[in-house]
Amino acid sequence: MLHELHLITADEIDEESTELSWQERSLCAQTDPEAFFPEKGGSTREAKKVCTGCEVRKECLEYALEHDERFGIWGGLSERERRKLKKRAV
């Protein structure tokens, strides 16, 4: 069986590295990750406070929506808040 070989182009590498570069600039990368993934019923207040001042909040939320992230605080929104946002967009 022959497998098709896909060579990665420079544009694809640039696109992928740009997509992930926002994560390096995120405030949560410098914070305790447990705050962003609280136990069920746990407070999200501290994580959302960090998100409020983050320069990549929009990119983070877009990533979570595009990749259907189901857990944690992303872009300042909880899973429930992201679901509501998606429903309103439809």
Side-chain angles (χ1 to χ4, degrees):
M1 179 189 279
L2 293 176
H3 294 282
E4 185 176 322
L5 178 63
H6 175 75
L7 299 176
I8 298 174
T9 66
D11 288 339
E12 289 173 318
I13 292 172
D14 287 344
E15 184 179 311
E16 186 173 319
S17 64
T18 301
E19 181 180 318
L20 297 177
S21 68
W22 64 266
Q23 293 176 346
E24 295 171 357
R25 300 188 328 269
S26 66
L27 291 178
C28 62
Q30 306 161 30
T31 311
D32 179 13
E34 289 187 25
F36 294 87
F37 296 92
E39 294 291 325
K40 187 171 183 164
S43 176
T44 59
R45 186 177 302 127
E46 288 303 313
K48 288 180 176 186
K49 189 186 301 183
V50 171
C51 293
T52 300
C54 186
E55 70 178 76
V56 295
R57 182 179 179 178
K58 180 182 174 203
E59 292 92 333
C60 180
L61 180 57
E62 288 173 356
Y63 177 88
L65 294 171
E66 288 173 14
H67 293 89
D68 199 26
E69 290 290 344
R70 296 188 181 196
F71 301 100
I73 304 300
W74 292 81
L77 299 181
S78 67
E79 176 190 3
R80 181 180 299 149
E81 292 165 328
R82 291 191 303 275
R83 271 197 316 260
K84 286 180 184 178
L85 184 64
K86 274 185 141 179
K87 284 182 183 179
R88 279 188 262 146
V90 173

